[in-house]
Amino acid sequence: MSDNLLKNKLAQGEAAIGPFVNLSSGALIEIAAYAGFDFVILDTEHGPLDIPTCEDLCRVAHGVGITPIVRIRENDAAQVLRALDIGAGGVQVPQICTKADAEAVV
């Protein structure tokens, strides 16, 4: 797997931009990369994307040099690990409202 370009950019104090994607189209991932975005968020919380589809989209993202972030459905360790297992460069966890919520994710 390639370097996490988003993580590298943020570590250098640079801003990063990227869109939400909730369609199962590898072409959208390619377009985002060629348009200069740093990452895409593959949204499984509010759209039809599932883990097998996200796995394919993560593969496309790595191939075109953009970091895939998977937004999971809820704060659940199994969902976090599964997203990372399929190639996500990061995970966005929804509904983090308290310090305890954030600690549970970590």
Side-chain angles (χ1 to χ4, degrees):
M1 189 178 303
S2 61
D3 284 343
N4 187 323
L5 302 175
L6 172 61
K7 187 175 179 178
N8 294 342
K9 193 169 189 175
L10 293 174
Q12 295 173 6
E14 297 179 37
I17 57 170
F20 273 78
V21 173
N22 56 15
L23 299 173
S24 59
S25 170
L28 289 176
I29 307 303
E30 290 180 276
I31 290 166
Y34 296 138
F37 288 107
D38 302 299
F39 64 91
V40 290
I41 298 176
L42 307 175
D43 190 1
T44 69
E45 183 188 19
H46 295 295
L49 296 181
D50 57 14
I51 290 297
T53 302
C54 285
E55 183 176 20
D56 289 340
L57 296 176
C58 284
R59 189 176 304 110
V60 171
H62 289 295
V64 295
I66 192 170
T67 301
I69 305 296
V70 174
R71 180 182 174 119
I72 59 176
R73 295 182 187 275
E74 59 188 319
N75 186 356
D76 174 63
Q79 288 184 40
V80 171
L81 293 173
R82 185 68 177 139
L84 295 172
D85 285 345
I86 64 165
V91 180
Q92 184 182 55
V93 182
Q95 304 304 319
I96 302 302
C97 302
T98 66
K99 180 181 175 185
D101 292 341
E103 289 172 343
V105 172
V106 174

